[in-house]
Amino acid sequence: MNLRDLKQQAQQDLASVHNSQELENWRIKYLGRKSSLSLFFDNLKDLPLEEKKEKGKEANEIRQFLKTIYTQKKQELEQSQAQGQYFDVTRPGLKIEKGHLHPLTLVLREIVHSFEKLGFEIVLGPEIETEYYNFDALRIPKNHPARDLWDTFWLTSGLLLRTHTSPVQIHYMEKHEPPFRIIVPGKCFRFEATDNHHDIQFHQVEGLMVSEKITLANFKFIVQEVLDDLFKGQVDLSFRPSYFPFVTSGLEVFIRPKNKSHSQWLEVMGAGMVHPDLFKTVGYPPNLWQGFAFGLGVERITMIKYGIDDIRLFFNSDLRFLEQF
Ligand code: DAH
């Protein structure tokens, strides 16, 4: 091959080199030991002296030139690779960070689903309440010592952040006639010191079932069904008397894992038969309706389900905790 053609061909080829493998092939072809240029040098010795000098000089210049453009190309490739312009189709892709549901959302959904299976309707209510709905209509008047059970975040002009989901009982009954069965999932707020079982913000699921002949036996059945569903039949229940102003025969429900009779009972809900005063307050005729109500602590259920020992973990946004669910 004519030396000038060789130079041109090499330049052309180099322009279409896009990675280090192609560059290496190029180097072998044009500068390698079996390249036409090397062969050319091998054959030089057979030429007459004058011609040897002349052609040798030319070939040397070309070899020098090829080496220079080779080095340039090599640097170019390395640089564009470092800047990420080089597209390596064999490189593994970046892992896309995928979010997931918060543990409380997971459990809240399960709870809601369990009640839906039993025909309960889902109702929502406001997080900002008046004193009337949060307290008075629920038989917790001003200056009544029972108010101490609900430490309150007061807002301006007499409004407050609801301390429980029970006010939604009143909202709902004002607008609906029995029979009905509803649950009210939602956030609640309490102005109190936090510890591993108390936080200033938490979730409840309120329940209310009213009809002509509803008794605590109906309540027991429903609660047993739902908790069996949530804990796959692996908990025992205990019902203990308690006091809430808006129910008669107030009680609390405790649960404990089956086959672990030595472990502690944990309170998961308050409940009772709806106080007749509430029916009167919303304008139902006297002695016609009966019902039960309950308030279930969502954080409590979640803590028991997953063995979490501090309620404050739910809201401090620590990914090491949240990533486990
Ligand atoms: N609202 C109560 C609380 O936050 C829980 C509760 C108790 C709700 C008894 C009820 C009930 O509906 O009947 O402590």
Side-chain angles (χ1 to χ4, degrees):
M1 192 194 279
N2 160 329
L3 280 179
R4 209 155 298 140
D5 288 350
L6 178 76
K7 184 174 166 186
Q8 216 173 38
Q9 187 65 45
Q11 268 180 297
Q12 245 173 41
D13 277 5
L14 192 64
S16 55
V17 161
H18 294 301
N19 59 43
S20 48
Q21 186 55 55
E22 287 170 6
L23 183 64
E24 178 60 7
N25 293 342
W26 182 93
R27 190 194 62 77
I28 292 167
K29 181 168 173 194
Y30 291 103
L31 290 167
R33 245 187 298 141
K34 292 188 182 138
S35 64
S36 12
L37 196 60
S38 293
L39 289 179
F40 186 86
F41 278 112
D42 289 346
N43 297 334
L44 265 184
K45 57 181 184 321
D46 304 332
L47 294 176
L49 190 62
E50 270 311 301
E51 211 178 331
K52 205 193 301 191
K53 260 189 176 173
E54 195 190 319
K55 293 271 176 189
K57 189 166 170 255
E58 196 186 349
N60 256 327
E61 275 168 11
I62 289 181
R63 184 160 62 180
Q64 208 43 54
F65 174 79
L66 294 183
K67 278 186 178 169
T68 309
I69 61 173
Y70 167 81
T71 316
Q72 269 174 5
K73 186 76 181 185
K74 197 171 170 189
Q75 281 170 357
E76 248 173 59
L77 281 180
E78 280 167 1
Q79 227 173 46
S80 63
Q81 219 171 66
Q83 288 166 1
Q85 290 164 1
Y86 165 75
F87 188 76
D88 180 357
V89 289
T90 64
R91 200 168 141 183
L94 287 180
K95 195 168 166 238
I96 295 170
E97 291 281 337
K98 220 164 87 183
H100 58 86
L101 295 176
H102 191 277
L104 288 174
T105 309
L106 291 172
V107 171
L108 198 54
R109 284 187 178 189
E110 278 186 56
I111 295 173
V112 167
H113 186 58
S114 293
F115 279 107
E116 273 180 331
K117 286 193 270 188
L118 296 169
F120 280 74
E121 209 178 306
I122 292 107
V123 170
L124 301 177
E127 287 169 9
I128 293 178
E129 269 299 356
T130 61
E131 203 174 343
Y132 174 76
Y133 284 103
N134 197 82
F135 291 124
D136 302 86
L138 293 169
R139 304 183 71 252
I140 319 166
K142 245 195 196 64
N143 304 323
H144 190 287
R147 277 219 184 173
D148 291 349
L149 294 173
W150 293 277
D151 296 305
T152 310
F153 282 110
W154 290 95
L155 307 173
T156 49
S157 58
L159 294 173
L160 52 87
L161 294 181
R162 71 174 172 200
T163 58
H164 49 178
T165 42
S166 301
V168 189
Q169 290 188 30
I170 304 293
H171 286 298
Y172 188 80
M173 289 196 289
E174 280 178 345
K175 297 202 188 77
H176 299 83
E177 290 290 320
F180 55 72
R181 51 191 130 160
I182 60 163
I183 51 163
V184 185
K187 270 196 195 101
C188 306
F189 308 87
R190 298 224 184 134
F191 182 47
E192 57 184 15
T194 63
D195 62 32
N196 60 347
H197 276 100
H198 297 88
D199 206 347
I200 57 168
Q201 177 189 318
F202 56 95
H203 295 77
Q204 285 185 340
V205 172
E206 191 79 11
L208 181 65
M209 181 166 183
V210 180
S211 183
E212 268 146 0
K213 289 194 183 98
I214 294 284
T215 67
L216 274 184
N218 300 110
F219 170 71
K220 268 189 90 172
F221 174 80
I222 299 267
V223 171
Q224 185 82 54
E225 283 288 305
V226 168
L227 292 177
D228 273 350
D229 200 21
L230 283 174
F231 291 98
K232 312 273 180 290
Q234 292 310 302
V235 288
D236 286 324
L237 306 193
S238 163
F239 297 83
R240 305 183 186 178
S242 182
Y243 171 71
F244 299 98
F246 32 93
V247 288
T248 59
S249 55
L251 58 97
E252 280 172 333
V253 181
F254 288 71
I255 63 176
R256 183 174 74 179
K258 266 200 170 108
N259 316 322
K260 275 200 188 168
S261 46
H262 57 278
S263 69
Q264 264 197 345
W265 288 99
L266 285 157
E267 188 231 318
V268 290
M269 68 168 86
M273 295 302 291
V274 180
H275 198 289
D277 282 359
L278 268 64
F279 293 146
K280 203 160 107 192
T281 299
V282 299
Y284 288 171
N287 305 323
L288 185 54
W289 305 115
Q290 294 174 356
F292 64 75
F294 60 85
L296 174 74
V298 180
E299 277 75 1
R300 281 287 171 90
I301 298 280
T302 311
M303 289 169 78
I304 297 166
K305 222 173 139 75
Y306 291 115
I308 297 163
D309 57 10
D310 194 331
I311 193 172
R312 292 165 293 194
L313 287 166
F314 289 123
F315 290 117
N316 71 5
S317 303
D318 187 337
L319 287 181
R320 288 169 306 174
F321 169 71
L322 295 173
E323 273 166 1
Q324 300 174 64
F325 298 92

